[in-house]
Amino acid sequence: MPRPPKGVTINDVAAKAGVSLSTVSRALNGNPTVDPALVARVQDAAAELNYTASPVARSLVLGRTQTVAVVVPDLGNPTFQAILRGLSRAAAADDYHVLVADSAESVDEERVLAAATRRRTDGIVLCAPRLPQEELERLVGGLRPVVLVNRSAGATPAVRADYRSALADELAHLHGLGHRRIVFLAGVARSVANAARLEAIADFRAAHPDVVVDELPCGVDFDAGAASAAAVLASGATAAVAFNDLVAMGLLSAAQSAGRPVPDDLSIVGFDDIPFAAYTTPPLTTAAVPATELGSQAWERMRDLLDGAEPREPLWLRPQLVARGSTGPAPA
């Protein structure tokens, strides 16, 4: 948008429209108390003078920055990128900007970033925070308005993916293919998403005493998956369930490099259905998390809070199993 000519100010708009400075300010900031005819006159004058209000001045008038903060644990993870995409596009449609901070999976950094970014914005979205539950509940009280993604804390608005049910679907899929010895490559120990997966595994073990599901500490990225390959192949498992697709891809690459074809020798399941999952060799079986919708729904809840509306009920979205070529019948 072209800049207004040098020297054009709100005083010029007021003079041309024949109204007061306060009327110009209220008209350009959408105040509903201004007569529509006056609004039109002010807008016409501003357009003729090519005047655009300063964002700083607008923020001072509205008492808002028109910006919300989002803190994520790892910007390198495509799932968090998809959540941010959904949130930022929805916010942009309401003339809001998004300030993003990456805590690098550090609880200490997350705590600092949450407080620092909230001071500079109108609200904050904590995306899959790693803070212990008690500390999270204390923290959100000083951050309001705040929305949580993939966590919950009292009455704080939240949107979550149902990781427990989705992992149960993956285990049932492997069981149906005849796998009776499975290994789970665990993510970050303090992650609530990892805890939900472990709960699903415990339920599955109780319902299927004929199946062994072992847990291997792993991580959340490609390198962690590749590094786990030796232990997975030595375990005797015929199938591996990874914490996420990045881990699954690392394992897939390392297993096949070691001469263990997938799925003939080892079936591999990921989680998230990131954009690359369908293009591995073979394509990765996974659970499709509606990450973009998580982001857009998080913004809707933040907008409600900013508008003074009643908070919505927590929303749960269930990932869907996507069976592809990386899983097959258990070897004899």
Side-chain angles (χ1 to χ4, degrees), residues 108-132:
D108 292 337
E109 188 70 8
E110 184 174 83
R111 188 184 301 112
V112 171
L113 287 173
T117 57
R118 175 62 185 91
R119 286 195 294 269
R120 294 166 171 80
T121 57
D122 299 330
I124 187 168
V125 177
L126 295 179
C127 184
R130 302 312 196 214
L131 287 166

Side-chain angles (χ1 to χ4, degrees), residues 97 220 227 230 238 241 254 275 281 302 313:
H97 305 287
V220 296
T238 61
V241 177
T281 304
M302 176 56 69
E313 292 295 319

Side-chain angles (χ1 to χ4, degrees), residues 312-323:
R312 304 189 192 194
E313 292 295 319
L315 175 68
W316 286 83
L317 299 175
R318 180 165 180 166
Q320 298 298 312
L321 177 71
V322 181

Side-chain angles (χ1 to χ4, degrees), residues 9-10 17 21 45 127 143 169 214-215 230 254-255 261 281 312:
T9 68
I10 191 173
L21 292 177
C127 184
L143 297 177
D169 291 342
D214 293 321
E215 178 188 348
T281 304
R312 304 189 192 194

Side-chain angles (χ1 to χ4, degrees), residues 9-29 33-34 38-39 41-43 45 51:
T9 68
I10 191 173
N11 294 288
D12 300 313
V13 177
K16 188 167 188 63
V19 298
S20 67
L21 292 177
S22 63
T23 298
V24 173
S25 177
R26 288 183 292 124
L28 294 180
N29 286 301
T33 64
V34 183
L38 287 181
V39 172
R41 190 194 309 173
V42 170
Q43 290 175 339
Y51 172 80

